[in-house]
Amino acid sequence: MSTAQAAKKDTTPDAFSFIDQTGVPLNTPITSNAITVTGINAAAAISVSGGLYSRNGGGFTSASGTVHNGDTVRVRQTSASSYDTSTHTQLTIGGVKDTFTVTTRSYVADTTPDPFEFAAQSNVALNAVVTSNAVTISGIDAPAPISINGGTYAINGGAYTSAAGSIGNGDSVQVRQTASAQYATTTTATLTIGGVQGVFSVTTLADGNAFVLPPSSGGNPNFVSEHFSGSGNCTLCHNGISDGQGKDVSIETDWSSTMMANSARDPFWRAKVRSELNRNPQLADVINDKCTRCHAPMANFEAGTTGEAMQILDGGFLSAEHNRHDEALNGVGCTLCHQIQNSPRLGTLDGFSGKYDIGGDKLIYGPFDNLFPNPMIMNTGYTPTYGPHVKESKLCGSCHNLKKPYVDASGKVLSTTPESEFPEQMPYSEWEHSSYAGATPKSCQQCHMSRADGAPISNRPMWLGRRNGFAVHDLVGANRLMLDVLNRNKTQLGVLSNNFPETIAKTEAMLQGAATIGPVSQSLTEDDILDFTLRVASQTGHKLPSAYPSRRVILHVTVKDSQGKVVFESGKVNADGSVDGVDADSDPYAFEPHHELITSPEQVQVYEAIMGDDQGQVTYTLLRGMTYLKDNRILPPGFDKATASRDIRVVGQASADADFVGGSDDVRYRIAGLSGSHYQVTAELIHQPLAYGFARDLFSDSDPEIRDFQKMFRESDAKSTVMTASTFSVSR
């Protein structure tokens, strides 16, 4: 029998020790140093509390197990969520224990944010006030110091300042600066937050002294095509006409300085066509067809009947060498409007968006009967014919109700039917839903074409009788800006008319008669609160502003104390067309909400339609417009917003505003913190055909058509027009 005895099993290891850690970050997994198990000759039990352990580099676990001599072990725990706090993990091996202690760092404010940046802007007008994109500050846990050099900043949409301050985590900030007074010059505004800098750089236009494109051809107004005859061929008989008071009411002269006559010369239209082509080139055929049906209708119609390609730019209709150039440049001409037939689809969805019917019989429809047709037949081949539909609004609806397809971000067309298309402009349908289309209708023509008595419809034969209710072809609208641009840039745009001063004066008069404004209540309380309500009342047969969604009307209110000092102002309009306090003018992704109550200069009542895309984001690209995010344009009298169709409904907060009704809107102002006893309030309505945000988006492209229009826009002083004003005093 052997005398050797079996070795005794030893599962109690030598002592081991973890190195405690201090100053660790909050809520962070912390792993200990590795210890090596020694002093055992058999498997020993291992367990952990307050954390996890890992054997020989394996996965971490909290389950009990065994270890062997020579194994390495680490432990892990998550640090506390508060400062200067210790947490403990205890490891036990064969009854021997040690504790791994972790202590979080003492509180030291972290005021160094994550990096941020502002998008640079180029092709900016001289001296323009330019606002950056908004950035959200992150990565700090205490208010951080903020300062700026070369501009001003605003936190969370507040007032702009150049004074140093502080900003918190999650706050948004924008930077504003004034562009250089020199061309091709870059200026910077540097924002510093907790030692981290973001630079907002702005570069002015490369050259403001010259146009990029050569002067345009004005076309030959004496053209003759298969279906049409140019306006110049009408002057022999339809100019040189005076009414019973001796006033010149020459048809072609009055028409020649209207937007209809210059619809294809319109530089904003040309620039916008280029922008739309840039952004959705795969839809060039749709854009060229849709945009010429009403802006170059005779060229579109003739090209359509022969199967010719529709093209506007790059050798298309606007090129003097194109075979349809003359038809295009004659705009919405005499033989276009007066040949539109009274077909069953006139005034219906099937006939909107430029889908008028023109026959091949050369009938010229007019508002008078008892005609003497032979001179026109013999001289032109056209037959004058009584057509009462030319006096009806449905004729205008052919182009002034316009729906268009819309696309997603990849350019895929999402609209599937004419009904589902986006209502870019619907003045005719708005008119239909107003009292202007009621029992005693007042047509588009009655408002937009003044009347004369005792005027012949032709200057020959000399004995031709005179008519009352003669429609003067002044076709007045509200686009004073574009009339000014056309008048200032005749050579560049190929403008043929010299009648713009008269048309501009009539446009100003129409704007001044389009609405009224005045107080409906007013008070100055003992606790120094000025409280008044303004009523804006419409005098138009459609929404105000009407039609194209670049237009807006601003309610500008100024309050002065007894010394004439301005103590409150909402809606101040700047020379570049921007409006202080309007969200859309400082942030391209935002828009000003509709207001029932205004208490701050940062709140401005803006009547406008804002397009939204399929993602619900603001867009200024027509083909991206799927819906309206806001439409609080002032409603015409008799307009019932509860029964309005989808195409003309009120959208946004105005839909729930009980004082926003057919014909008017009430806006209350409540201004606190005043100390005087007498104040003067001035309220103005200001019309802009081209809103600042719409223009800014267009000018983000740099094509020649866009740069040339930007120059014209910058140089015009007709960006804004005061429509009406009211001044009243409030005393305690």
Side-chain angles (χ1 to χ4, degrees):
M1 178 177 175
S2 173
T3 59
Q5 295 182 351
K8 187 177 179 180
K9 187 182 294 185
D10 184 356
T11 60
T12 302
D14 298 332
F16 55 86
S17 178
F18 294 109
I19 301 172
D20 296 336
Q21 295 187 30
T22 60
V24 303
L26 280 59
N27 292 309
T28 304
I30 305 296
T31 302
S32 73
N33 57 298
I35 59 99
T36 301
V37 179
T38 60
I40 61 175
N41 58 15
I46 183 172
S47 61
V48 71
S49 64
L52 309 170
Y53 72 91
S54 166
R55 187 169 66 91
N56 297 327
F60 281 88
T61 180
S62 61
S64 297
T66 59
V67 293
H68 298 85
N69 201 60
D71 285 348
T72 60
V73 180
R74 294 175 184 266
V75 295
R76 177 179 290 174
Q77 62 163 290
T78 299
S79 62
S81 59
S82 55
Y83 297 102
D84 282 315
T85 302
S86 296
T87 50
H88 312 280
T89 300
Q90 186 179 73
L91 187 73
T92 303
I93 302 176
V96 177
K97 301 178 179 181
D98 191 52
T99 299
F100 176 47
T101 298
V102 169
T103 304
T104 52
R105 68 180 177 88
S106 299
Y107 175 72
V108 177
D110 181 0
T111 59
T112 303
D114 298 332
F116 57 90
E117 63 181 17
F118 299 103
Q121 295 190 27
S122 58
N123 288 321
V124 173
L126 304 187
N127 296 308
V129 176
V130 189
T131 303
S132 74
N133 57 297
V135 298
T136 300
I137 302 307
S138 59
I140 59 177
D141 59 13
I146 182 172
S147 61
I148 194 165
N149 182 36
T152 58
Y153 68 90
I155 299 173
N156 296 330
Y160 281 86
T161 180
S162 60
S166 62
I167 189 169
N169 199 59
D171 287 344
S172 67
V173 62
Q174 288 178 279
V175 171
R176 178 177 288 176
Q177 65 157 296
T178 300
S180 172
Q182 305 298 319
Y183 291 105
T185 302
T186 299
T187 53
T188 59
T190 303
L191 188 74
T192 304
I193 299 176
V196 177
Q197 293 186 334
V199 177
F200 177 44
S201 107
V202 171
T203 304
T204 51
L205 294 163
D207 181 7
N209 298 317
F211 289 108
V212 180
L213 293 169
S216 300
S217 162
N220 177 10
N222 297 306
F223 77 89
V224 175
S225 66
E226 182 178 353
H227 294 88
F228 303 106
S229 182
S231 59
N233 299 321
C234 304
T235 59
L236 179 65
C237 295
H238 296 291
N239 272 0
I241 297 174
S242 298
D243 65 11
Q245 304 300 314
K247 180 181 178 181
D248 189 334
V249 290
S250 297
I251 293 175
E252 190 274 342
T253 299
D254 285 328
W255 166 88
S256 68
S257 52
T258 66
M259 291 307 301
M260 296 182 76
N262 295 281
S263 56
R265 299 184 182 95
D266 180 346
F268 175 41
W269 174 71
R270 294 179 176 186
K272 192 62 178 145
V273 168
R274 174 63 75 188
S275 176
E276 295 290 322
L277 288 169
N278 287 347
R279 298 176 189 189
N280 285 285
Q282 77 285 358
L283 294 176
D285 290 345
V286 173
I287 294 169
N288 283 300
D289 178 34
K290 180 72 75 171
C291 293
T292 54
R293 287 186 185 180
C294 296
H295 276 264
M298 292 182 285
N300 178 288
F301 187 88
E302 296 288 37
T305 58
T306 59
E308 300 168 35
M310 302 283 183
Q311 187 169 337
I312 300 170
L313 306 173
D314 304 321
F317 293 153
L318 297 186
S319 170
E321 288 73 36
H322 196 280
N323 65 312
R324 297 299 180 192
H325 177 70
D326 296 333
E327 292 100 303
L329 268 291
N330 211 226
V332 186
C334 315
T335 54
L336 184 283
C337 282
H338 286 280
Q339 283 194 92
I340 294 177
Q341 298 177 327
N342 189 21
S343 69
R345 65 178 188 169
L346 189 66
T348 72
L349 178 61
D350 286 343
F352 296 152
S353 304
K355 292 178 286 189
Y356 38 76
D357 290 309
I358 292 176
D361 45 13
K362 291 197 172 183
L363 294 180
I364 294 291
Y365 299 103
F368 296 112
D369 57 9
N370 191 25
L371 300 170
F372 185 66
N374 287 342
M376 180 177 279
I377 295 172
M378 295 297 294
N379 283 284
T380 69
Y382 291 94
T383 301
T385 305
Y386 175 53
H389 65 286
V390 301
K391 298 185 290 183
E392 298 177 28
S393 294
K394 64 181 181 180
L395 181 78
C396 306
S398 298
C399 281
H400 292 285
N401 256 22
L402 176 60
K403 301 190 73 171
K404 61 161 195 64
Y406 57 87
V407 302
D408 63 15
S410 66
K412 178 183 177 183
V413 177
L414 300 179
S415 50
T416 56
T417 64
E419 290 80 5
S420 68
E421 290 186 334
F422 175 69
E424 180 203 283
Q425 54 178 289
M426 305 294 285
Y428 174 72
S429 290
E430 294 162 8
W431 171 86
E432 276 193 309
H433 199 62
S434 77
S435 60
Y436 281 69
T440 307
K442 189 172 184 180
S443 69
C444 308
Q445 294 90 329
Q446 286 175 277
C447 287
H448 292 277
M449 301 176 75
S450 56
R451 292 295 186 269
D453 290 336
I457 59 176
S458 175
N459 62 33
R460 61 187 63 197
M462 298 293 292
W463 48 259
L464 203 63
R466 293 177 176 267
R467 311 278 187 150
N468 292 332
F470 174 88
V472 179
H473 283 59
D474 40 22
L475 297 160
V476 184
N479 203 341
R480 177 172 169 261
L481 166 65
M482 212 52 56
L483 293 172
D484 179 71
V485 166
L486 289 163
N487 191 40
R488 287 172 180 260
N489 299 279
K490 291 178 184 177
T491 300
Q492 183 65 22
L493 296 173
V495 172
L496 306 180
S497 176
N498 292 311
N499 194 53
F500 284 97
E502 178 182 337
T503 302
I504 290 171
K506 289 181 176 181
T507 299
E508 291 171 345
M510 172 159 279
L511 282 167
Q512 291 163 5
T516 62
I517 187 172
V520 294
S521 67
Q522 58 197 70
S523 67
L524 182 59
T525 67
E526 293 296 330
D527 53 353
D528 295 324
I529 295 177
L530 177 62
D531 196 323
F532 57 90
T533 297
L534 298 173
R535 176 164 295 165
V536 180
S538 170
Q539 309 292 321
T540 70
H542 44 65
K543 291 183 181 181
L544 177 66
S546 69
Y548 194 74
S550 69
R551 301 169 184 176
R552 65 181 179 181
V553 169
I554 299 106
L555 180 50
H556 177 214
V557 173
T558 306
V559 179
K560 295 181 179 179
D561 63 16
S562 56
Q563 283 74 47
K565 178 184 177 182
V566 175
V567 296
F568 177 88
E569 187 170 16
S570 165
K572 178 184 177 182
V573 180
N574 301 306
D576 63 358
S578 64
V579 181
D580 288 352
V582 171
D583 292 349
D585 291 8
S586 59
D587 184 350
Y589 306 105
F591 61 90
E592 188 74 11
H594 174 82
H595 296 286
E596 297 182 53
L597 172 66
I598 289 179
T599 60
S600 163
E602 294 301 313
Q603 298 170 311
V604 183
Q605 188 72 313
V606 184
Y607 299 106
E608 61 187 346
I610 299 291
M611 296 188 296
D613 62 23
D614 61 304
Q615 300 299 311
Q617 301 299 312
V618 173
T619 184
Y620 297 102
T621 303
L622 294 175
L623 278 174
R624 290 286 280 126
M626 185 193 82
T627 187
Y628 284 110
L629 303 178
K630 172 191 178 185
D631 186 354
N632 72 331
R633 291 175 294 160
I634 308 166
L635 303 174
F639 189 104
D640 184 352
K641 65 182 182 181
T643 60
S645 69
R646 178 180 178 276
D647 284 344
I648 58 171
R649 71 187 189 278
V650 177
V651 181
Q653 295 171 354
S655 62
D657 181 353
D659 295 319
F660 185 83
V661 297
S664 67
D665 177 41
D666 288 358
V667 187
R668 182 183 178 190
Y669 289 76
R670 194 170 189 271
I671 306 165
L674 303 177
S675 58
S677 60
H678 178 84
Y679 295 94
Q680 179 177 281
V681 180
T682 299
E684 296 178 319
L685 279 182
I686 300 176
H687 183 272
Q688 291 186 332
L690 181 53
Y692 182 82
F694 207 103
R696 177 185 56 207
D697 176 80
L698 176 63
F699 298 151
S700 66
D701 289 359
S702 58
D703 302 83
E705 296 85 0
I706 296 170
R707 287 179 59 187
D708 281 356
F709 173 60
Q710 187 175 21
K711 169 180 163 62
M712 299 175 199
F713 177 74
R714 184 180 69 250
E715 293 172 352
S716 173
D717 59 4
K719 299 179 188 70
S720 306
T721 300
V722 176
M723 300 172 61
T724 186
S726 174
T727 299
F728 59 95
S729 297
V730 185
S731 301
R732 184 164 44 233

